[in-house]
Amino acid sequence: MKVEASAPGKCILFGEHAVVFGQPAVAVAIEQRITVIIEPIEGEYWKLEGARLDASKHPHLNTLRHRLWPKSAGAPALSIHIKGDIPRASGLGSSAAMSVAACAALRAARGRWITEGDAGTDGWAEGFASTVTDTDAFEVKDDSKAGLRLAQFDKRKHHLVGHEAVHIDECALLGHAVEAAAQGGRASPMDASTCAHGGVVLLSDVLEPEVEHMYQRRLAMSDGVRTWELHDLGMPKGGDELYLVIGNTGVYAPTAAQVAKVAEAIRIEPQRMKEIETIGTIARRGILALKNGDFEAVGRAMTENQVMLKGLGVSCPELDTLIRAAGPSSLGAKLTGAGGGGCMVALTKDPKATSEAIELAGGRTLISKFGNPGLRVEVAQDVPFWTPGQ
Ligand code: MEV
């Protein structure tokens, strides 16, 4: 019995931090991926890489376990192995990629009861999705019933397993819920949705014209309810000639602390919300440029976005050095993710020159083409591992 699922990391072109306050943003799935492998084991405790899982060190996995894998409902302990080429805590969405891949693996291994012959969300007897309003991925009170649609569950007829049971919207939704739990209740759905869907994802405060709308997400935070409209921007015209060169500073930078730092700065000086709004205005300019395939303007918007991020206090000298080095050979460069260390990203048509310049300045580089496939179930052997309600 074994299930394997993988998901890509992500790079943010514009709008990190401001998106947590509801401003627009764009993220791109990168070539680098994370794979999660799960197998059932005897005994009470979960294992990660052979050692007992420490819930406090792995809040994402722990929250997911409460949503999808309750011991009290008969779920067996699991052995988990995680592999991939996305460096941790570096702004490339390693935790979101791991969360959505783990969600897909757990769902494939557990399966999903449905009430009718088809797997459309209306016919689900269990699960979380943007169109399902009688379960709540964010607030789970009784984890043995988490995600069961109680009014439907008694009518369950068919049990889907493996990749047939997996739904990308569910993985994105749960991915967001576990990121929010790990980031003290403050997280946008950007990372989870980009790692789940792949391609180029646009978040906005409004429904964007001429772009495919995917769904709406809402999250109640300590300072108010946020709403995001998520769109699939598709591959921009001419995007196949573009590369993202990612430069890693090697400075460890967990997201939660950076997100809390920005929230605190705004709590102390509410007038700094203007800076957040300016990032939103720059992102909007960048989005228009992307839609028009005007990559010179996309690059300019990235560079302007970096000026604002630096003003907000989330850049650092190591990031500034790599961004400066990338300048002459790229269309634009900025930090990506939460900042404070981690990675920068440059948009370029000459990945070799940009990569060499960043390496000379002391960064380790990864190169990715623009827009990549999302979540995939790679292996589903002898599923289900267990079935709720049996
Ligand atoms: C982290 O990759 C992006 C942030 O905007 C946080 C979030 O969106 O939840 C800093």
Side-chain angles (χ1 to χ4, degrees), residues 11 28-32 199-200 235 239-246 347-348 351 366-373:
C11 249
V28 180
I30 57 174
E31 282 176 48
Q32 290 70 25
V200 185
M235 182 68 151
D240 46 355
E241 284 168 28
L242 285 176
Y243 293 87
L244 299 166
V245 178
I246 296 155
L347 183 71
T348 181
L366 296 170
I367 299 178
S368 173
K369 59 184 187 316
F370 205 82
N372 289 280

Side-chain angles (χ1 to χ4, degrees), residues 20-21 179-181 183-188 219 221-223 226 259-260 263:
V20 178
F21 295 87
E179 291 254 287
Q183 287 174 207
R186 304 182 69 78
S188 81
L219 180 63
M221 296 185 191
S222 54
D223 51 356
R226 302 280 192 282
V259 169

Side-chain angles (χ1 to χ4, degrees), residues 10 12 15-17 19-20 91 183 186-188 190-191 255 259 337-338:
K10 63 93 205 4
I12 301 169
E16 52 271 90
H17 287 294
V19 71
V20 178
Q183 287 174 207
R186 304 182 69 78
S188 81
M190 174 165 56
D191 291 18
T255 302
V259 169

Side-chain angles (χ1 to χ4, degrees), residues 19 46 49 52 119 124 128 150 161 180 189 193 210 221 273 295 309 312-313 331 342 366 370 375 388:
V19 71
W46 284 36
E49 313 303 352
R52 183 167 157 183
W124 285 6
F128 306 90
L150 294 174
V161 295
S193 286
E210 297 153 37
M221 296 185 191
M273 196 53 121
F295 296 113
L309 288 165
L312 209 53
L331 301 172
L366 296 170
F370 205 82
L375 186 61

Side-chain angles (χ1 to χ4, degrees), residues 75-109:
L78 291 177
S79 163
I80 305 179
H81 176 54
I82 298 171
K83 60 182 188 185
D85 49 5
I86 309 174
R88 279 195 59 222
S90 61
L92 298 181
S94 62
S95 60
M98 188 277 293
S99 301
V100 299
C103 175
L106 294 177
R107 178 57 79 191

